[in-house]
Amino acid sequence: MRLTKSLGLLAAAVAFTASTAALAAPTFINILTGGTSGVYYPIGVALSQQYNKIDGARTSVQATKASVENLNLLQAGRGELAFSLGDSVADAWNGVEDAGFKAPLKRLRAIAGTYNNYIQVVASAESGIKTLEDLKGKRISVGAPKSGTELNARAIFKAAGLDYKDMGRVEFLPYAESVELIKNRQLDATLQSSGLGMAAIRDLASTMPVTFVEIPAAVVEKIESDAYQAGVIPAGTYDGQDADVPTVAITNILVTHEKVSDEVAYQMTKLMFDNLSALGNAHSAAKDIKLENATKNLPIPLHPGAERFYKEAGVLQ
């Protein structure tokens, strides 16, 4: 009898220990961003600081090649939250191979639509580039191969009747490297997709005279994607930029995957919107994140945890 009772107590103790260990297991939240000189990275760092408030959370921020790489990593379960351009999210969901997705990424789920990226075509003043047509024969960088930026470049050049073969040289480099080559007179221009006030372009504009090249609304209308909308880089965004610059705007989306628990997705969504001022302090682009826009025009399903938050907030019925 005593032996049976002892065994029972031992079994109960083992079960309690196991359940306690399970409850104490850390919740890993790896945030996939972009290059450290871009906008995704500082906002990702600000988010990680808020997510440390989640019980048992262990957060990390990973610098990546941004949209396309981020979405493929999420599908593989190698991250819990990622930044991506809206057109890349749509291509991932549909499995557009030419955009870098070998098959449809159906594990992806949306957390929120956030701020817009703006296509920023910047040229050294001495290059003489003032229009998209002037890029012919010039040396340009268009972002890492099959990155969100590079896919944007392809779409815009096609709509403008241009092709990479029209350029004198095309480099596939991220923000900081592109800017350094322009400074060193080894490139004439770069096309970058980013939030306004991006650090690398601020650095370039403060170092040497530059020209911001317009992308006319007529070109935007020819792009075969609803993700691309006419936008404006407001005057004064960068040193020496004295006039508004018509361009393309594309919504950024925060994406997770279906294996992230409903509670964690709920907390990630809530903590972001409860702390927008902290994100805005990390980068001014985040000041454009609005709760009322978070669920609009998303090309993938909302995560149930995020959906719960939006219902509580009155954004969804």
Side-chain angles (χ1 to χ4, degrees):
M1 179 108 180
R2 285 184 182 176
L3 178 60
T4 303
K5 186 175 181 181
S6 297
L7 289 173
L9 290 171
L10 179 61
V14 170
F16 176 79
T17 302
S19 64
T20 303
L23 287 171
T27 299
F28 293 100
I29 302 176
N30 185 30
I31 303 172
L32 307 168
T33 59
T36 55
S37 62
V39 177
Y40 288 170
Y41 189 83
I43 298 177
V45 171
L47 279 174
S48 74
Q49 292 166 349
Q50 300 306 321
Y51 293 166
N52 281 327
K53 299 173 184 176
I54 299 172
D55 287 344
R58 290 188 183 176
T59 65
S60 57
V61 181
Q62 183 176 340
T64 67
K65 295 177 182 176
S67 297
V68 176
E69 181 181 13
N70 289 352
L71 297 171
N72 281 312
L73 286 171
L74 277 185
Q75 177 73 11
R78 294 171 60 190
E80 284 66 47
L81 187 72
F83 291 81
S84 180
L85 285 164
D87 59 321
S88 293
V89 176
D91 287 343
W93 186 254
N94 294 316
V96 178
E97 187 168 0
D98 193 46
F101 306 105
K102 295 180 180 179
L105 307 190
K106 296 300 185 182
R107 292 179 181 171
L108 302 182
R109 297 293 183 268
I111 290 292
T114 58
Y115 64 93
N116 283 339
N117 259 26
Y118 293 81
I119 304 302
Q120 302 173 63
V121 184
V122 192
S124 64
E126 65 184 29
S127 71
I129 297 169
K130 295 182 179 179
T131 68
L132 290 174
E133 186 73 13
D134 293 337
L135 291 171
K136 287 184 176 180
K138 301 294 185 179
R139 302 164 299 173
I140 185 170
S141 174
V142 294
K146 290 189 176 179
S147 63
T149 293
E150 198 259 320
L151 297 177
N152 295 161
R154 287 192 227 172
I156 290 161
F157 290 158
K158 180 181 177 181
L162 298 171
D163 189 273
Y164 286 163
K165 291 181 290 186
D166 296 321
M167 314 301 172
R169 188 171 94 237
V170 179
E171 297 286 352
F172 299 90
L173 299 169
Y175 307 135
E177 288 89 337
S178 300
V179 163
E180 287 304 312
L181 289 179
I182 293 175
K183 287 182 185 178
N184 296 330
R185 275 67 178 180
Q186 294 172 283
L187 279 181
D188 300 305
T190 184
L191 181 151
Q192 299 294 346
S193 177
S194 178
L196 296 175
M198 194 259 283
I201 297 179
R202 283 206 319 267
D203 176 42
L204 179 64
S206 67
T207 302
M208 62 191 296
V210 297
T211 300
F212 287 83
V213 180
E214 294 186 1
I215 302 175
V219 171
V220 182
E221 290 173 6
K222 293 179 182 177
I223 300 174
E224 298 173 352
S225 172
D226 292 338
Y228 292 74
Q229 301 293 324
V232 172
I233 303 172
T237 300
Y238 299 100
D239 288 351
Q241 183 217 335
D242 299 326
D244 290 350
V245 180
T247 189
V248 176
I250 306 168
T251 298
N252 284 293
I253 300 174
L254 276 172
V255 186
T256 186
H257 60 78
E258 63 183 5
K259 291 189 177 181
V260 170
S261 75
D262 290 1
E263 180 60 24
V264 169
Y266 171 83
Q267 291 291 344
M268 289 197 299
T269 312
K270 179 175 171 52
L271 283 167
M272 179 177 73
F273 283 105
D274 284 352
N275 295 279
L276 287 179
S277 60
L279 303 192
N281 290 336
H283 198 286
S284 59
K287 293 177 181 177
D288 291 331
I289 301 174
K290 308 293 183 187
L291 178 60
E292 59 267 28
N293 297 330
T295 62
K296 293 179 179 177
N297 303 316
L298 297 174
I300 59 174
L302 272 172
H303 192 289
E307 185 176 4
R308 173 186 152 203
F309 168 77
Y310 293 123
K311 287 180 178 179
E312 287 182 2
V315 176
L316 293 177
Q317 298 299 317

